[in-house]
Amino acid sequence: MSWGSRKTINMNYFPDEVLEHVFDFITSHKDRNSVSLVCKSWYKIERYSRQRVFIGNCYSISPERLIARFPGLKSLTLKGKPHFADFNLVPYNWGGFVDPWIKALAESRIGLEELKLKRMMVSDDSLELLSKSFVNFKSLVLVSCEGFSTDGLAAIAANCRFLRELDLQENDVDDHRSHWLSCFHESCTSLVSLNFACLRGEINFVALERLVARSPNLKSLKLNRSVPLDTLQKLLIQAPQLVDLGIGSYVHDPYSETYEKLKSAIQRCKSIRSLSGFLEVAPRCMSAIYPICANLTFLNLSYALGLHGNELTKLIQHCRKLQRLWILDCIGDKGLGVVASTCKELQELRVFPSDPYGAENAAVTEEGLVLISAGCPKLNSLLYFCQQMTNAALITVAKNCPNFIRFRLATFDPIKPDPVTNQPLDEGFGAIVQSCKGLKRLSLSGLLTDQVFLYIGMYAEQLEMLSIAFAGDSDKGMLYVLNGCKKLRKLEIRDCPFGNAALLEDVGKYETMRSLWMSSCEVTLGGCKTLAEKMPSLSVEIIDESEQMMDFSFDDRQKVERMYLYRTLVGHRNDAPDCVWIL
């Protein structure tokens, strides 16, 4: 049969069971959403067969509506506070409470097995209810959450008999007691991943050793700084099958018997591919790590303040298979040159500031980034905190690495021009968006005018998230982005001269976006009120912790300090604190 005579197969001829099986192979949340929009039949099949759901804003929908839509739900990812909460721009009590979600899920017949929360307020009571309500609960991941203590973790440990994953990332946890690890039942042998690196307090070493010993499938273990080197050595002997290891304290005498035993234990761990931690470190002991470096694909030293230039480069020279590297800027431009010559498979690089408040001590510049781009052609994801940047460097990076999906750059002086030409960095970032056709996330820094936003609107066709600060000349800058970036979902703006004209030019655009954040801009209360009146499907929140909050209702010309706008299907929330005014 020739290609031209081939007939199109009508998928509706297949039984629902066959389509449901086909849909199981569609794992992307976006693709599942698209499938549900094809026809009523597919909507029904997708509804009953979907087990994993992602909700980027906990106020965009109610838990009751979620449960009614997806009765077969087993895995839920839920986000709360806006991204700028990471920069202390969102009040502690803003919201993002998980309690109503846990209660609604518990009262339903949902067989929840996995829950991932990010930037949410989590209470001990909600964790206890979670642990007692779902018999087959297997995975809890908490990222940048707060409000709970080790009492809640003890409830999870005691009641979730089939727990496979407990992953605590950068949470603010109150340490009420150190024995929460001893609450794991003796019959719990199912752990695959355990991460408590963010906990500040002491833990029960004996309980930890026993738990690891009876977990033959444990692949990922990340420890906090209270776990000493001798306990680490015992854990590695019990779990040589580890693939992902996070070391808390790495301080000891390199000539001691404990250190020699640790070296022997590390050499037995031939499966480790990811290494992180070193929250406390003695650089003289790092040579013990070298034997496992050859097979590492991910190295995270973003919290290793005790390691500096020479120690870092010595370690990295042993890591030739790295695909992801997170590191502090104390590595310097020369150190990044070593990375470029050693790590030819590198795909993701994050360079964090070792001293966020000491801009004059920033140790990396445009030179290090150019070296990386020349030596690591597979690089597609970047986060780079640096002292300065030039247009020439950005143009070179764009030519060397056209496959960037994420490009985030921050200079310590947010309005610093090109130090060579004293010009804005418009042309450099213009080259990035023009060369990198698949760019989805972009963060800008340095002196920038409306011209860079014209480039973004023209060329960043796949852009989904844009973060802007101290940039632009007029409302035109924001309008270039809103009119040009058709796939934009999240826009974050702070300290920019964008006002009501830009905000209100095309309010229908916000229905296609998840959220808009504007702080310290030129937007007024009157502009926000107009937007809320025109778009009742949006929630427009004014955030102000000052005393003038009470005066807003009397002066529409008053500039708003912070505005957060998001799309919602269930109307305004009812848990906003006094510092939040929902229009």
Side-chain angles (χ1 to χ4, degrees), residues 231-380:
T231 300
L232 171 64
Q233 176 257 329
K234 295 175 183 177
L235 295 173
L236 294 181
I237 290 177
Q238 293 167 341
Q241 76 279 2
L242 285 175
V243 176
D244 182 6
L245 174 63
I247 297 175
S249 175
Y250 194 73
V251 179
H252 216 283
D253 180 0
Y255 303 104
S256 66
E257 181 180 354
T258 298
Y259 179 70
E260 291 301 320
K261 289 182 178 179
L262 176 66
K263 287 173 62 177
S264 176
I266 289 176
Q267 290 175 358
R268 294 179 56 202
C269 298
K270 302 192 182 294
S271 299
I272 292 180
R273 298 295 181 268
S274 175
L275 184 64
S276 61
F278 300 97
L279 310 179
E280 295 179 354
V281 59
R284 292 182 302 167
C285 297
M286 290 306 295
S287 59
I289 300 295
Y290 294 165
I292 61 174
C293 288
N295 291 319
L296 290 182
T297 58
F298 181 29
L299 178 62
N300 180 0
L301 299 176
S302 59
Y303 288 98
L305 291 170
L307 293 177
H308 300 99
N310 290 336
E311 293 92 355
L312 291 173
T313 53
K314 286 180 183 178
L315 179 63
I316 288 171
Q317 284 174 327
H318 292 81
C319 305
R320 295 188 174 275
K321 294 183 180 179
L322 279 187
Q323 297 176 15
R324 303 172 65 203
L325 174 62
W326 296 9
I327 205 157
L328 294 171
D329 62 2
C330 56
I331 190 173
D333 288 333
K334 290 184 179 179
L336 291 179
V338 173
V339 174
S341 61
T342 304
C343 310
K344 297 300 180 180
E345 301 299 314
L346 196 67
Q347 298 176 30
E348 178 184 350
L349 173 66
R350 299 190 185 186
V351 180
F352 297 90
S354 51
D355 181 7
Y357 304 103
E360 68 279 359
N361 298 320
V364 296
T365 68
E366 76 281 1
E367 295 180 10
L369 184 56
V370 169
L371 291 172
I372 287 289
S373 71
C376 307
K378 296 183 179 180
L379 194 68
N380 61 50

Side-chain angles (χ1 to χ4, degrees), residues 551-578:
D551 298 330
F552 268 137
S553 58
F554 302 106
D555 190 355
D556 285 353
R557 297 170 297 176
Q558 174 72 45
K559 291 180 183 178
V560 298
E561 176 60 28
R562 286 164 282 182
M563 183 205 72
Y564 181 47
L565 174 157
Y566 54 88
R567 190 179 53 189
T568 178
L569 298 176
V570 290
H572 297 158
R573 61 188 178 109
N574 57 11
D575 61 357
D578 292 340

Side-chain angles (χ1 to χ4, degrees), residues 386-401:
C386 59
Q387 187 178 48
Q388 63 184 37
M389 188 52 57
T390 67
N391 283 306
L394 288 171
I395 292 170
T396 300
V397 170
K399 290 179 180 177
N400 291 337
C401 300

Side-chain angles (χ1 to χ4, degrees), residues 69 117 137 156 158 168-169 181 220 271 289 372 493 547 577:
R69 172 74 188 274
L117 305 175
F137 191 76
I156 294 292
L168 309 174
Q169 303 177 34
L181 279 171
S220 178
S271 299
I289 300 295
I372 287 289
I493 306 171
E547 294 180 358

